[in-house]
Amino acid sequence: MSGEIPGQVPVKVYPWPVRLLVGGLVALSGLGLPASLVILTTYPRLLLPLARALFEARLILVLSVAPLLVARALQWLCTARISCDEETVHVIGRALRIDIPRASIDRLAPWVVPLPAAGFGFVMRSGKRLRYGVEARDLGKVQAKIGVPSAPLFLEHPSAAYAVARQRVVWRWYHLAFKFALFPLLPGLLIFRLHQFITFGGAFGEYYLSGLRPYLTTLTIYVAMTCMDCLLWASLWRTVGEIGAFAATQVRPSASVAIRRAIEVLCSLLYYGGIAAMILYAFLR
């Protein structure tokens, strides 16, 4: 099922209980990161850096990574393709084949809550809804492929407009590497250097006292801990931003692209600016 076959559009097809499960896991994974940040700030202070780093890593793995991995496995099992001919829409998946006469389709109904991602259901002319939902990476492409006469209004629905605007934001690997690996080195190295001066009396105090290996171990712990802290800090503003973008798009779906741009800029400012402000506060207070 890998790769795109000409004439077919890759999608994921869920029976409603599976969609409910996968959507819940994706939501849990997304909320697990800001929840980890809340737990860390309210948990009794862990004095040892290694203990705090391990505790933080376990929180991220249990509350975010594990649900996401299970959700991705279920999504892989639900992989399918849509193809069409003049009279029929064919949905073909793993141990699944649905043939829908075009004449019996009244409209496509976008999911009100785009979880696990953007998607829609088939509403038939009889008034009934097909019990399978379709998740699509490109809603416009799927809508054009199916070609339901009433579908032009499909992308004007607030939830569809939100999803399409969000899909236009593409984070390349080097953006993510800079944001969550290179940039956190700045606060990580500053905190490590401060720790060395306070605990050992100099920038290389632990190296002179205990040797290179303990010195590099402590450096690794502080940098890893700072990278995780930055990830949790970003997740906090991303969660707030997505809720705000979804709510604003419900009010003005025609402004979904502008809303998305504003949210992305705001999230970046709060991430980078917030970390810079906290560093300045720590050194100037």
Side-chain angles (χ1 to χ4, degrees), residues 260-282:
R260 172 54 54 184
R261 289 173 182 166
I263 290 298
E264 293 300 326
V265 171
L266 185 60
C267 286
S268 295
L269 288 176
L270 290 170
Y271 173 73
Y272 293 107
I275 292 174
M278 286 187 285
I279 293 173
L280 289 175
Y281 175 75

Side-chain angles (χ1 to χ4, degrees), residues 39-159:
I39 292 172
L40 282 170
T41 55
T42 57
Y43 194 78
R45 188 172 182 83
L46 298 170
L47 298 178
L48 296 177
L50 178 59
R52 185 187 184 282
L54 292 176
F55 180 69
E56 187 172 1
R58 283 197 295 270
L59 282 176
I60 294 173
L61 286 172
V62 172
L63 296 182
S64 185
V65 176
L68 183 62
L69 291 177
V70 176
R72 290 291 181 260
L74 292 173
Q75 286 179 306
W76 178 78
L77 290 174
C78 294
T79 299
R81 295 185 183 277
I82 286 181
S83 61
C84 303
D85 55 37
E86 293 183 359
E87 298 181 353
T88 310
V89 176
H90 307 282
V91 182
I92 304 171
R94 303 177 191 278
L96 173 71
R97 183 183 179 100
I98 307 172
D99 298 311
I100 311 169
R102 283 179 181 269
S104 66
I105 302 174
D106 179 58
R107 59 188 174 90
L108 307 181
W111 293 339
V112 175
V113 179
L115 283 173
F120 62 91
F122 290 96
V123 178
M124 316 309 288
R125 294 191 183 277
S126 63
K128 295 183 179 180
R129 183 188 292 257
L130 197 68
R131 67 187 186 94
Y132 289 91
V134 178
E135 174 193 327
R137 180 178 298 179
D138 190 334
L139 289 177
K141 186 174 183 179
V142 176
Q143 175 259 321
K145 184 71 176 177
I146 296 173
V148 178
S150 60
L153 298 177
F154 173 71
L155 297 180
E156 297 177 14
H157 187 281
S159 295

Side-chain angles (χ1 to χ4, degrees), residues 192-193 195-197 199-219:
F192 170 72
R193 181 179 175 84
H195 161 76
Q196 291 292 305
F197 272 98
T199 307
F200 300 101
F204 299 97
E206 188 175 9
Y207 168 71
Y208 293 131
L209 182 65
S210 304
L212 180 62
R213 184 173 181 178
Y215 180 82
L216 293 178
T217 299
T218 304
L219 172 61

